[in-house]
Amino acid sequence: MLDKVIEIGILFDFYGSLLTEKQQEAIQLYYYQDLSLSEIAERLEISRQGVYDHLHRGEEALREYEEKLGLIKRYKVLKKELEDLEKAINDYKIENKVKNNLIQRVEKIKKHL
């Protein structure tokens, strides 16, 4: 279950704003606030089945967005490449001023990921 919570959390971070308002609310309440289907149903004033449907459709949509857009996959590749680049810069015998400049530029890129 923890793997699914992490998976949905990451997907939601990238694609959550593309879901309907009800799907967003249901996912936030279920995965982030750990409420039961009954508690969410009461809060959203819908049935437990309605909550389940919003969760299920929202999860499917998040997975489909990643399948089609691949933003998380690209993010992981870029992050790994930047880490490798930073290691390579540190390993090369270059002037400290140049090395520091390159490291600062890598850090700047990482902040935007």
Side-chain angles (χ1 to χ4, degrees):
M1 178 65 179
L2 182 59
D3 289 341
K4 183 176 180 181
V5 171
I6 293 169
E7 174 198 15
I8 297 300
I10 293 169
L11 288 167
F12 190 79
D13 286 346
F14 276 81
Y15 304 110
S17 62
L18 301 175
L19 299 177
T20 68
E21 188 176 317
K22 289 285 189 186
Q23 289 170 340
Q24 288 179 40
E25 287 178 304
I27 287 174
Q28 286 175 335
L29 294 170
Y30 187 76
Y31 287 102
Y32 290 85
Q33 295 185 27
D34 199 28
L35 298 182
S36 69
L37 295 180
S38 297
E39 292 169 321
I40 297 168
E42 186 177 314
R43 188 173 286 190
L44 298 181
E45 298 178 346
I46 59 176
S47 68
R48 287 180 74 245
Q49 182 63 44
V51 172
Y52 176 82
D53 290 343
H54 286 303
L55 284 171
H56 184 71
R57 288 188 189 124
E59 291 167 5
E60 280 185 0
L62 292 171
R63 289 185 183 103
E64 286 177 16
Y65 292 138
E66 175 57 18
E67 186 178 313
K68 291 177 182 176
L69 301 173
L71 297 179
I72 297 170
K73 182 179 178 182
R74 288 183 203 157
Y75 169 81
K76 288 178 180 179
V77 168
L78 285 172
K79 186 176 179 197
K80 173 79 168 91
E81 288 295 322
L82 284 170
E83 289 168 358
D84 292 348
L85 178 59
E86 188 172 26
K87 184 181 182 317
I89 291 168
N90 283 317
D91 290 346
Y92 283 115
K93 305 281 190 245
I94 55 176
E95 183 184 328
N96 277 338
K97 185 177 180 181
V98 173
K99 186 182 284 192
N100 289 338
N101 185 351
L102 292 171
I103 294 293
Q104 286 175 353
R105 292 172 75 183
V106 168
E107 290 300 323
K108 184 178 179 181
I109 294 169
K110 281 183 177 179
K111 287 180 184 177
H112 293 285
L113 284 181

